[in-house]
Amino acid sequence: MQTFWPGINDGTKFVLSKTRKKSDWKNSVFLISVAEIKKLKKSKGSDLQVWGSSKLIHLLLKNDLVDELRLKIHPLTLGKGKKLFENNAIPATFTLTESSVTTTGVIMANYKRAGKVKTGTVGA
């Protein structure tokens, strides 16, 4: 079976889990704490990316460990669902670095961390 994401098995995958200790997925490294994530983030190497884990995103936002957001905003509402930004996220500002809109109306927006939050009025 050919994968839709070539190279995924070549790269290192970091897994945060309190229960799992191993995986059949090649190049998987298990982490058990925020301290281990902080240590990994300070190390040299490629950027760390999160694909599809809202719980992990909440943990990273709560611990001020997010440097960049790459969002895909779809033009639909589903009623109830998971929230990306929960009440426990540390206040932070981000600057839009790139954006585009697909022919189906999906907004793709990339934001980089921009420092401390400045309060005031919109557009000020």
Side-chain angles (χ1 to χ4, degrees), residues 31-103:
L31 307 174
I32 59 170
S33 69
V34 171
E36 288 182 326
I37 296 171
K38 288 179 180 180
K39 183 178 177 183
L40 178 63
K41 189 173 184 293
K42 289 180 182 177
S43 68
K44 292 185 179 189
S46 301
D47 290 344
L48 301 173
Q49 300 176 8
V50 177
W51 291 81
S53 174
S54 62
K55 286 184 179 183
L56 180 55
I57 295 294
H58 293 161
L59 181 68
L60 296 174
L61 287 167
K62 178 181 177 182
N63 288 279
D64 200 21
L65 293 170
V66 176
D67 296 323
E68 184 175 358
L69 297 168
R70 292 178 177 232
L71 305 177
K72 292 180 184 173
I73 304 161
H74 294 261
L76 61 106
T77 57
L78 299 174
K80 292 184 178 183
K82 296 178 183 178
K83 294 180 181 179
L84 179 59
F85 304 104
E86 293 284 348
N87 292 336
N88 60 2
I90 292 201
T93 59
F94 292 83
T95 299
L96 181 67
T97 58
E98 186 178 354
S99 66
S100 61
V101 180
T102 69
T103 58

